[in-house]
Amino acid sequence: MLIQNIVNTFFCSCTYVLTVDDFSWLVDCGDVEPLLSLLKGKNLKGVLLTHAHFDHIYGLNELLMLFPNVKVYTNESGRESLLNDKMNLSRYHETPFVFEFPENIRIVDGGDEIALSKDFRAKVIVTPGHHPSCLTYVIDNAIFTGDSYIPGVKVVTNLPQGNKKQAHESVDCILSLSESGTIYPGHSS
Ligand SMILES: [Zn+2]
């Protein structure tokens, strides 16, 4: 699996482009323009959302207009936030965002496995605390943590629906996983 990282203009959030056999997948979606050359000629299958805060989702409408078959993976809380500009916090920025392709959402939960190709699967781990929509994805030895764990940075829990205790438990869980893997966090530091 090839992993390429794009650092987005908004809050330096990260989009990861995964090339898995003949397919491409994204982890989160901010700026679309820099993705296009990486996705050219590739079969983009889906977007794995680490959580549904604005800075991790704001490119999704533009992306889905270009790639209408792409599925967006999140949990039930993420679905709610995708469809509500107050919950995804975009209301407090210049461009309120509401996801316009709800039929493309696929709900996943802890323990689920998303088939990325014949040989690769993304294991879904629930890591709330920063936000109830926080999911961590383990693919081979790569661990995509979003804002549930950013090395050297304290988890932000003072946003709506944040929970300090859950955040600590999630960090412990991720740290135990990271002994045998590499962390790919939700922001570039
Ligand atoms: Zn966030």
Side-chain angles (χ1 to χ4, degrees):
M1 176 172 68
L2 172 68
I3 301 171
Q4 292 163 294
N5 177 15
I6 285 170
V7 179
N8 295 304
T9 50
F10 195 80
F11 282 179
C12 295
S13 60
C14 292
T15 298
Y16 294 97
V17 182
L18 317 180
T19 306
V20 191
D21 299 330
D22 296 332
F23 305 116
S24 289
W25 290 78
L26 299 182
V27 177
D28 292 342
C29 182
D31 300 339
V32 170
E33 206 276 323
L35 294 173
L36 297 179
S37 60
L38 301 180
L39 295 175
K40 203 169 179 195
K42 301 273 172 58
N43 186 355
L44 177 65
K45 300 288 279 182
V47 183
L48 311 177
L49 290 187
T50 63
H51 65 301
H53 275 154
F54 180 50
D55 47 334
H56 298 262
I57 62 173
Y58 66 89
L60 284 175
N61 286 336
E62 198 182 337
L63 186 82
L64 271 280
M65 277 189 262
L66 297 169
F67 300 91
N69 295 323
V70 159
K71 306 293 184 286
V72 176
Y73 292 81
T74 186
N75 66 6
E76 193 53 53
S77 159
R79 192 184 70 83
E80 281 176 41
S81 291
L82 280 170
L83 304 177
N84 183 313
D85 64 348
K86 188 176 177 191
M87 291 178 78
N88 67 41
L89 306 180
S90 63
R91 183 180 291 191
Y92 310 105
H93 299 283
E94 274 169 34
T95 44
F97 175 89
V98 174
F99 186 49
E100 292 166 3
F101 301 85
E103 65 282 3
N104 290 51
I105 297 174
R106 295 292 176 272
I107 300 293
V108 290
D109 207 348
D112 286 352
E113 292 196 338
I114 302 163
L116 305 183
S117 73
K118 200 156 95 26
D119 297 321
F120 281 87
R121 281 164 193 287
K123 195 171 165 197
V124 180
I125 295 165
V126 177
T127 52
H130 174 68
H131 190 262
S133 65
C134 283
L135 300 173
T136 289
Y137 299 95
V138 179
I139 307 167
D140 213 7
N141 60 357
I143 305 163
F144 297 90
T145 58
D147 292 359
S148 299
Y149 177 66
I150 300 173
V153 178
K154 197 165 174 278
V155 179
V156 175
T157 55
N158 60 355
L159 293 168
Q161 296 184 276
N163 182 306
K164 232 178 190 167
K165 184 172 175 285
Q166 287 181 339
H168 280 297
E169 290 166 2
S170 293
V171 167
D172 286 346
C173 167
I174 289 166
L175 286 176
S176 69
L177 293 170
S178 72
E179 286 165 18
S180 58
T182 305
I183 301 277
Y184 293 87
H187 290 264
S188 157
S189 41

